[in-house]
Amino acid sequence: MPGRRPPDAGYATVEAALAIPSLLLLTLALAGVLAGMATQIRCVDAARLAARATARGESPAEVQAAVTRAAPDSSVHITTENGLIHVSVSAPVAAVPLLHAFTVHAEAYEADEATTESEDPGTDPSP
């Protein structure tokens, strides 16, 4: 019967039509994960940098400029309590609108050098 097609004719086309968008979606998801990981690393670096700079006594404007260079589009919050500096940095994952909804955070702690230098290392704090 020359005009008859086999029963599985066209299945390869349907499978390819389903597989290609699935692979594209998987590739975009992996790219988003990688962008998130890169942003997280930048936030960690920026938080550590800001904590060290603040501990050294640099001005808040210099610290903010350093954080902006290390992690663009990030926000930084610095608090000092009992000689301990706490820096929190957050940034959106990417400029892509879909990934912009995701935000990563990083924190760093550092001893305030002005507080630690003022303590006399030769004295025992216990009575």
Side-chain angles (χ1 to χ4, degrees):
M1 300 192 199
R4 218 153 184 220
R5 293 191 308 177
D8 63 351
Y11 281 112
T13 304
V14 171
E15 290 170 358
L18 293 175
I20 290 173
S22 299
L23 291 174
L24 181 64
L25 186 61
L26 177 67
T27 303
L28 290 175
L30 290 175
V33 168
L34 288 175
M37 291 171 61
T39 304
Q40 177 67 36
I41 291 169
R42 283 195 301 270
C43 282
V44 168
D45 290 344
R48 289 179 181 168
L49 175 74
R52 284 191 302 266
T54 304
R56 285 192 310 261
E58 292 186 22
S59 71
E62 291 173 331
V63 172
Q64 181 64 41
V67 168
T68 302
R69 280 192 308 273
D73 297 329
S74 63
S75 62
V76 63
H77 181 70
I78 302 171
T79 57
T80 303
E81 185 176 333
N82 298 330
L84 189 64
I85 297 168
H86 173 241
V87 177
S88 176
V89 176
S90 61
V93 169
V96 179
L98 179 64
L99 295 177
H100 197 69
F102 297 101
T103 303
V104 293
H105 305 278
E107 296 182 355
Y109 294 88
E110 187 77 31
D112 191 358
E113 291 181 7
T115 304
T116 57
E117 288 175 359
S118 66
E119 296 175 0
D120 186 15
T123 61
D124 187 14
S126 61

